[in-house]
Amino acid sequence: MNITHDPAVFKSRLARVRQLMSEKNVDTLILSVGHDLPYLTGYQAMPLERLTLLVVPRDAMASMLIPRLEAPRVVDMPSVFTLVPWNETDDPVAIASRLIGSANTIAVGDQMWARFLVELLAHLPRARYVRAVDIVGPLRRVKDAAEIAALQRASTAVDRIAAQLHAGDIPLIGRTEAQVSAELSARIIAEGHDKVNFAIVAAGENAASPHHHAGPRVIREGEIVLCDFGGTMAGYCSDITRCVHLGDVPPDIAEAYEALQRAQAAGVAAGRIGVSCESVDARTREVIDAAGYGEFFVHRTGHGIGMEEHEDPYIVQGNTTLLEAGHAYSVEPGIYVPGRWGMRLEDIVVATESGPLSLNNTSHDLLSVIA
Ligand code: ZN
Ligand code: ZN
Ligand code: ZN
């Protein structure tokens, strides 16, 4: 993991957080495990049973309460936060409640363990508790230039793997889905990621299950193989889906794929600033509906991506959030015919002043491969 440690970046993010806190009448923001913490401090806490807690008062210096044994992992930035290590025999929630003091409204990060929040409620029963996502979420979903560059590097790396798949460099026929998944995972690391997040490999009828878990099923000639994979590189995620067909593509699959490809392209093209997330979803859905496959497109069009593989903004009916420059998200319609086959096509897209920028550019065709 190698998120920036430039204090200027975190000072400016915290300044915007404090501005939103005052707009929303929040006195103190508290963040534990999850990705809001590294976004604001450069430090990612392991999801341990010991409490790590960033306490951000609206009008005073932030403190990071941390188990003493974890403190060496923190890149200390005294101009951004004060490090407050706690010892094994201390009560960290009591220390946290002193740091929070007399705050009336406390915004809590979504991923704070319930056990600590329940204890904190007992220490500070009169405070009003709200979700921190309303403060940090709007900031995190607008990526700055450095974040977009990081997403582009990760996307380009998985594009190279998709090209290897298309070129027949990854053996498929006669191997199990699990073996191919392991090979994709190894290539994700070989192409520069720090971590594999997932490597879905689904052959034939298994591809009709969108999040199929790669298993012992042997891949055979004459079937479609769906590969959806991604990892984390320098703190930012990649996520791509491509399908290949082992041998000649039968007419029913070719016809469905043609609709899928048009739907995906329409969804990418719809990503203009000021357009709602739900209308991007509607663009992919109407193409698939018109082609007669509507009942087989069983999920939203996409999800935001950044430090997490799934985050705001979600490209789904009901999300009226308007796209802004710097929003990064997937466009990944699919068609899944139970018992027969499935297909999905996925790129990561960034909304920019000059229109939608696709970070994945490997061929979007259903290539016939013998490998
Ligand atoms: Zn998914
Ligand atoms: Zn994916
Ligand atoms: Zn995705």
Side-chain angles (χ1 to χ4, degrees):
M1 169 95 126
N2 107 53
I3 293 173
T4 175
H5 289 106
D6 176 0
V9 169
F10 301 110
K11 277 201 239 176
S12 98
R13 288 177 183 172
L14 278 166
R16 283 180 291 150
V17 158
R18 288 191 167 98
Q19 189 187 330
L20 282 166
M21 285 168 72
S22 75
E23 282 169 27
K24 293 181 184 294
N25 279 313
V26 167
D27 302 298
T28 303
L29 175 81
I30 58 177
L31 299 173
S32 185
V33 294
H35 289 81
D36 292 342
L37 182 65
Y39 182 76
L40 293 179
T41 64
Y43 175 68
Q44 178 143 31
M46 280 194 277
L48 299 175
E49 76 288 4
R50 294 182 176 100
L51 178 64
T52 295
L53 194 71
L54 181 73
V55 179
V56 184
R58 192 172 56 201
D59 308 307
M61 186 70 177
S63 305
M64 193 192 294
L65 182 61
I66 186 147
R68 187 169 293 283
L69 77 167
E70 300 295 330
R73 298 181 53 236
V74 181
V75 177
D76 200 2
M77 286 182 280
S79 62
V80 180
F81 56 84
T82 306
L83 206 55
V84 184
W86 59 272
N87 297 311
E88 292 286 59
T89 54
D90 290 340
D91 174 355
V93 179
I95 300 172
S97 68
R98 286 198 292 276
L99 290 171
I100 296 167
S102 60
N104 290 318
T105 299
I106 302 171
V108 184
D110 274 0
Q111 278 132 317
M112 181 168 175
W113 297 129
R115 59 166 287 205
F116 296 123
L117 182 59
V118 168
E119 286 179 37
L120 187 66
L121 287 163
H123 280 273
L124 301 170
R126 277 192 296 273
R128 184 171 75 95
Y129 293 82
V130 296
R131 287 177 62 193
V133 66
D134 295 327
I135 291 163
V136 188
L139 297 185
R140 270 187 57 194
R141 68 181 178 229
V142 177
K143 272 69 183 178
D144 65 25
E147 293 182 288
I148 293 168
L151 285 167
Q152 178 68 80
R153 279 192 293 275
S155 295
T156 301
V158 289
D159 260 0
R160 288 194 292 268
I161 301 171
Q164 292 156 12
L165 183 71
H166 283 154
D169 295 344
I170 302 176
L172 299 168
I173 297 167
R175 294 172 100 193
T176 65
E177 294 169 340
Q179 285 171 321
V180 176
S181 175
E183 174 155 0
L184 288 175
S185 299
R187 287 177 187 246
I188 288 169
I189 299 299
E191 292 291 352
H193 289 74
D194 306 302
K195 173 168 155 285
V196 176
N197 293 332
F198 50 85
I200 296 170
V201 176
E205 74 290 346
N206 282 348
S209 167
H211 279 173
H212 175 68
H213 184 79
R217 160 81 153 76
V218 174
I219 299 169
R220 296 181 297 256
E221 194 167 346
E223 58 191 15
I224 195 165
V225 182
L226 181 157
C227 299
D228 181 355
F229 49 96
T232 305
M233 182 189 286
Y236 285 80
C237 294
S238 59
D239 185 2
I240 187 171
T241 307
R242 290 293 185 272
C243 296
V244 293
H245 199 278
L246 294 168
D248 293 339
V249 184
D252 59 333
I253 291 187
E255 185 188 301
Y257 194 87
E258 189 273 330
L260 177 70
Q261 197 170 351
R262 270 192 296 118
Q264 202 267 351
V268 172
R272 304 203 160 265
I273 291 165
V275 158
S276 70
C277 291
E278 67 175 0
S279 72
V280 174
D281 178 74
R283 292 293 86 76
T284 66
R285 210 163 291 283
E286 69 197 12
V287 175
I288 290 177
D289 281 346
Y293 301 100
E295 66 178 301
F296 303 122
F297 179 15
V298 293
H299 55 70
R300 66 189 176 211
T301 289
H303 53 81
I305 188 167
M307 300 173 97
E308 285 176 274
E309 63 253 43
H310 289 184
E311 59 180 47
D312 271 339
Y314 291 95
I315 309 301
V316 63
Q317 188 184 353
N319 186 1
T320 55
T321 303
L322 303 182
L323 289 180
E324 290 173 46
H327 282 179
Y329 53 92
S330 71
V331 176
E332 51 176 310
I335 300 175
Y336 311 94
V337 183
R340 295 185 57 208
W341 47 259
M343 53 180 65
R344 177 164 67 252
L345 181 58
E346 174 178 27
D347 290 330
I348 301 306
V349 177
V350 179
T352 77
E353 300 290 351
S354 47
L357 171 69
S358 183
L359 302 187
N360 297 106
N361 297 291
T362 308
S363 172
H364 294 81
D365 295 341
L366 179 62
L367 297 183
S368 167
V369 168
I370 294 294

